[in-house]
């Protein structure tokens, strides 16, 4: 049976502006019970896996190891946080989810997409977003927006890698147009936020039973 809550995920290459959009959406959704997550991370075990994944000293990490670690972190997050929240009728706003694995480890690293689909199915137990907002931006603009922050292990891969990830995301959006909506993230935040809300609003109407209390928890 489909859970009563609403599940929205945010996706895009590094520097696409997910964090700013998330802030805006959390303010917009203030009257609802919202659980906000980020990947990799969001539970104590997943945060430990995150540290392994993003550590620039782990140069020897194989793409398959990487994929399974992202999967393991997600598995824990779904079971501990996401599924219970959806069962409770809450809104889950996820900063990255299963599509990141297909885009980065599949299109970016070149791992077999069927293997990654199977891994995603295993790790999510079939919990899938109702809506995925793909913030599309050029890798050059993404790099510029990231500014002078010290790059993590994935960000160190450079423009060509980000370009492959972007192409992958856009391909996935064409394959699942009902769920994955592409937003031009090169615009200013207000415009991107308005476009995002346009997609979220009908979903909230559709699922009238989402809890409307003001208590909000954020991870
Ligand atoms: P993070 O600092 O959270 O970056 P961002 O703000 O862009 O989300 O680092 C997460 C990195 O992990 C990011 O480069 C994307 C990558 N990633 C994968 O390669 N596969 C995955 O399944 C996930 C969830 C993230």
């Amino acid at each position: 049976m489909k859970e009563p809550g609403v599940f929205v995920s945010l996706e895009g290459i590094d520097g696409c502006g997910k964090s700013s959009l998330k802030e805006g959406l959390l303010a917009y959704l203030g009257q609802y019970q919202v659980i906000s997550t980020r990947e990799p991370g969001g539970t104590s075990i997943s945060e430990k896996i995150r540290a392994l994944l993003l550590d620039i000293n782990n140069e020897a990490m194989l793409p398959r190891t990487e994929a399974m670690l992202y999967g393991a972190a997600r598995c824990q997050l779904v079971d501990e946080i996401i599924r219970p929240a959806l069962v409770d009728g809450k809104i889950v706003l996820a900063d990255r989810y299963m599509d990141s694995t297909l885009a980065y480890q599949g299109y970016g690293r070149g791992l077999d997409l069927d293997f990654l689909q199977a891994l995603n199915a295993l790790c999510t137990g079939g919990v899938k977003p109702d809506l995925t907002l793909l913030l599309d931006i050029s890798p050059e603009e993404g790099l510029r927006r990231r500014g002078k922050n010290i790059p993590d292990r994935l960000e160190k891969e450079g423009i060509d890698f980000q370009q492959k990830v972007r192409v992958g995301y856009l391909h996935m959006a064409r394959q699942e147009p009902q769920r994955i909506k592409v937003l031009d993230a090169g615009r200013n935040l207000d415009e991107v936020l308005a476009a995002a809300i346009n997609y979220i609003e009908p979903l909230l109407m559709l699922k009238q039973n989402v809890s409307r209390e003001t208590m909000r928890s954020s991870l």
Side-chain angles (χ1 to χ4, degrees):
M1 196 188 78
K2 193 93 179 71
E3 295 85 1
V6 174
F7 187 7
V8 178
S9 64
L10 306 178
E11 295 281 355
I13 64 169
D14 294 307
C16 66
K18 280 183 291 91
S19 309
S20 313
L21 178 63
K22 185 159 95 172
E23 290 301 305
L25 287 176
L26 286 174
Y28 161 72
L29 294 167
Q31 59 174 319
Y32 295 94
Q33 284 197 342
V34 181
I35 298 290
S36 129
T37 65
R38 71 154 181 187
E39 280 200 37
T43 73
S44 62
I45 291 173
S46 310
E47 289 291 332
K48 288 180 186 154
I49 299 174
R50 176 187 176 88
L52 273 177
L53 279 164
L54 301 186
D55 185 345
I56 49 170
N57 296 313
N58 285 338
E59 276 171 5
M61 190 182 290
L62 297 169
R64 278 170 294 158
T65 308
E66 183 179 283
M68 288 187 280
L69 285 176
Y70 278 113
R74 179 167 310 129
C75 191
Q76 202 67 32
L77 181 68
V78 170
D79 234 62
E80 281 190 36
I81 310 281
I82 295 179
R83 189 185 290 105
L86 293 173
V87 167
D88 266 7
K90 293 178 182 159
I91 297 175
V92 174
L93 188 58
D95 182 345
R96 299 198 179 282
Y97 192 59
M98 56 185 209
D99 300 304
S100 283
T101 299
L102 287 177
Y104 280 80
Q105 281 64 54
Y107 292 91
R109 298 279 195 223
L111 288 185
D112 181 61
L113 293 175
D114 289 337
F115 159 71
L116 295 173
Q117 298 270 23
L119 182 69
N120 270 341
L122 180 73
C123 296
T124 63
V127 175
K128 214 172 167 178
D130 300 296
L131 170 68
T132 296
L133 298 171
L134 169 56
L135 277 70
D136 182 53
I137 197 168
S138 72
E140 290 79 11
E141 179 62 11
L143 185 66
R144 198 188 62 75
R145 287 191 183 182
R146 276 189 346 247
K148 295 202 175 63
N149 293 343
I150 300 166
D152 61 38
R153 201 175 56 83
L154 273 286
E155 287 168 349
K156 280 184 76 154
E157 288 296 325
I159 293 263
D160 289 353
F161 179 76
Q162 295 290 328
Q163 181 58 25
K164 285 190 216 163
V165 174
R166 181 190 194 192
V167 168
Y169 269 132
L170 291 172
H171 185 70
M172 288 153 61
R174 282 194 297 277
Q175 284 181 324
E176 275 191 84
Q178 287 297 338
R179 174 176 67 89
I180 306 178
K181 306 294 182 189
V182 183
L183 303 182
D184 173 2
R187 296 171 294 173
N188 68 45
L189 177 61
D190 284 349
E191 288 174 294
V192 180
L193 181 60
I197 289 172
N198 265 339
Y199 285 119
I200 293 177
E201 229 161 24
L203 207 57
L204 297 176
M205 309 269 213
L206 204 70
K207 297 209 178 191
Q208 297 269 358
N209 52 347
V210 285
S211 2
R212 260 187 199 258
E213 293 155 39
T214 42
M215 194 191 86
R216 191 172 79 201
S217 104
S218 182
L219 296 173

